[in-house]
Amino acid sequence: SAVISQKPSRDICQRGTSLTIQCQVDSQVTMMFWYRQQPGQSLTLIATANQGSEATYESGFVIDKFPISRPNLTFSTLTVSNMSPEDSSIYLCSVARDSSEETQYFGPGTRLLVL
Amino acid sequence: AQKVTQAQTEISVVEKEDVTLDCVYETRDTTYYLFWYKQPPSGELVFLIRRNSFDEQNEISGRYSWNFQKSTSSFNFTITASQVVDSAVYFCALSESWYSSASKIIFGSGTRLSIRP
């Protein structure tokens, strides 16, 4: 499995500000994903980060609120924009080695608290 | 539509007891994958196992075993001789498989397992 790191590991932010979360993988992977886990809840897919093109967002998530970049095969960022307390969650990135690899491996997550 | 149900919200057992975590899924596809992930208090999600829909053999890995039954759409997870380190939230998940692409994973709501010393 790949080694995945996320920065920051946690943050406390003020309402109305934005935070960019980084996800770095130690090897090239085709597929990268971003998930949100609200307090005490399960994981929900936000979007698939596509290298060289716009991310593919799931229903209920929009690019203006969660812009995503994927400049190469080992790195992606997720920005949480204009934050409100409802955005307080754990944000996790996951990777699949290639498009036929069904298993996703997850990063350690970023714990975000919005005041 | 795909759905994963983990009816047990929380389970608490005494160390060394066996415990089974239930998972029931719904899908219209004939080709799909089932997963179990563990989320310890640290928050990271640890992959435990993947099964495809064509492989109904039960699997054992140390103290962990999985029982996949297509007839009842269940993929249950048993921990034998539980240990305090097994305390975590366990997620069952499902993805439908298209041959050429990694698919969206649908997670169950999770079961919080507490092992008391």
Side-chain angles (χ1 to χ4, degrees), chain A residues 31 33 35 37 40-45 58 90 92 96 98-109 111, chain B residues 33 35 37 39 41-45 47 50 91 95-105 107-110:
Chain A
M31 312 293 289
F33 307 87
Y35 287 81
Q37 185 179 23
Q41 303 295 314
S42 187
L43 284 79
T44 301
L45 179 64
E58 295 299 307
I90 300 175
L92 299 104
D98 55 51
S99 58
S100 63
E101 169 64 73
E102 290 297 333
T103 300
Q104 292 181 24
Y105 298 94
F106 285 78
R111 292 177 183 268
Chain B
Y33 289 86
F35 305 84
Y37 286 88
Q39 188 175 41
S42 57
E44 64 188 287
L45 216 62
F47 166 74
R50 180 189 85 190
F91 291 98
S95 77
E96 292 174 344
S97 173
W98 284 268
Y99 182 74
S100 61
S101 66
S103 306
K104 172 180 170 180
I105 293 182
F107 284 85
S109 55

Side-chain angles (χ1 to χ4, degrees), chain A residues 34-62:
Chain A
W34 286 99
Y35 287 81
R36 180 176 74 181
Q37 185 179 23
Q38 295 177 300
Q41 303 295 314
S42 187
L43 284 79
T44 301
L45 179 64
I46 297 172
T48 302
N50 301 309
Q51 195 261 330
S53 63
E54 196 171 282
T56 304
Y57 289 84
E58 295 299 307
S59 175
F61 298 97
V62 295

Side-chain angles (χ1 to χ4, degrees), chain A residues 21-84:
Chain A
I21 302 168
Q22 299 178 5
C23 178
Q24 178 75 54
V25 192
D26 68 341
S27 57
Q28 291 187 346
V29 293
T30 301
M31 312 293 289
M32 294 183 79
F33 307 87
W34 286 99
Y35 287 81
R36 180 176 74 181
Q37 185 179 23
Q38 295 177 300
Q41 303 295 314
S42 187
L43 284 79
T44 301
L45 179 64
I46 297 172
T48 302
N50 301 309
Q51 195 261 330
S53 63
E54 196 171 282
T56 304
Y57 289 84
E58 295 299 307
S59 175
F61 298 97
V62 295
I63 187 171
D64 290 346
K65 176 67 177 177
F66 297 103
I68 288 170
S69 79
R70 176 91 191 270
N72 56 51
L73 293 177
T74 63
F75 186 78
S76 177
T77 67
L78 168 75
T79 298
V80 186
S81 304
N82 188 24
M83 289 184 284
S84 66

Side-chain angles (χ1 to χ4, degrees), chain B residues 24-68:
Chain B
V24 175
Y25 63 92
E26 295 177 28
T27 179
R28 292 183 179 178
D29 263 18
T30 56
T31 303
Y32 52 89
Y33 289 86
L34 295 162
F35 305 84
W36 277 95
Y37 286 88
K38 172 183 179 180
Q39 188 175 41
S42 57
E44 64 188 287
L45 216 62
V46 179
F47 166 74
L48 295 178
I49 191 171
R50 180 189 85 190
R51 301 301 275 175
N52 73 53
S53 52
F54 298 110
D55 184 0
E56 286 194 71
Q57 279 194 344
N58 292 330
E59 181 154 339
I60 299 174
S61 176
R63 296 184 296 107
Y64 295 171
S65 63
W66 291 269
N67 183 1
F68 176 29

